[in-house]
Amino acid sequence: QVQLVESGGGLVQPGGSLRLSCAASGGRFGINAMGWYRQAPEKERELVAAIISSGITNYADSAKGRFTISREYAKNTVYLQMNSLKSEDTAVYYCHVRYCAAYGCTIYWGQGIQVTVSS
């Protein structure tokens, strides 16, 4: 069982920055991918950024050049540094973890954290 605790959301003005954190407890050595999704009102949940065990990252086009995902293995924590924020980045952001064991892989989601970009 993996538990996820997200932090770092809030209200920021356009052009500002925020850093989201997601700390995973349990299953440290089975986590082979971590990432962030977001869901805006009346829209589907979408991938923002992900990082796999090898360090390879993947970003949505909307995030490229502005967001950076990183993972601190010692703390089993994934970060999303968001710069040059726009109003369209307003959404609930969800941490996403893929945990794999001998029986297969399981996806875990955080509870979600609100990011609001507004003047």
Side-chain angles (χ1 to χ4, degrees):
Q1 187 75 10
V2 175
Q3 292 82 42
L4 304 175
V5 178
E6 301 155 330
S7 61
L11 173 64
V12 64
Q13 292 186 344
S17 298
L18 281 176
R19 189 176 82 153
L20 304 183
S21 300
C22 174
S25 60
R28 174 177 174 180
F29 296 102
I31 294 176
N32 64 10
M34 303 182 82
W36 292 92
Y37 282 68
R38 69 185 181 188
Q39 187 166 18
E42 300 181 358
K43 292 189 176 181
E44 293 186 354
R45 190 172 296 189
E46 62 177 4
L47 172 70
V48 178
I51 183 168
I52 63 175
S53 297
S54 64
I56 294 175
T57 57
N58 182 38
Y59 293 93
D61 288 343
S62 59
K64 290 178 181 176
R66 299 188 300 126
F67 295 0
T68 302
I69 190 169
S70 61
R71 180 178 174 182
E72 188 171 357
Y73 288 86
K75 294 184 177 180
N76 217 17
T77 298
V78 64
Y79 304 97
L80 184 68
Q81 177 66 44
M82 304 186 292
N83 299 326
S84 302
L85 283 161
K86 307 174 182 179
S87 58
E88 51 262 46
D89 295 316
T90 296
V92 177
Y93 284 69
Y94 296 90
C95 180
H96 168 279
V97 162
R98 185 175 69 205
Y99 174 80
C100 295
Y103 56 81
C105 296
T106 304
I107 300 298
Y108 293 91
W109 292 95
Q111 78 280 8
I113 190 165
Q114 179 69 46
V115 170
T116 302
V117 184
S118 175
S119 56

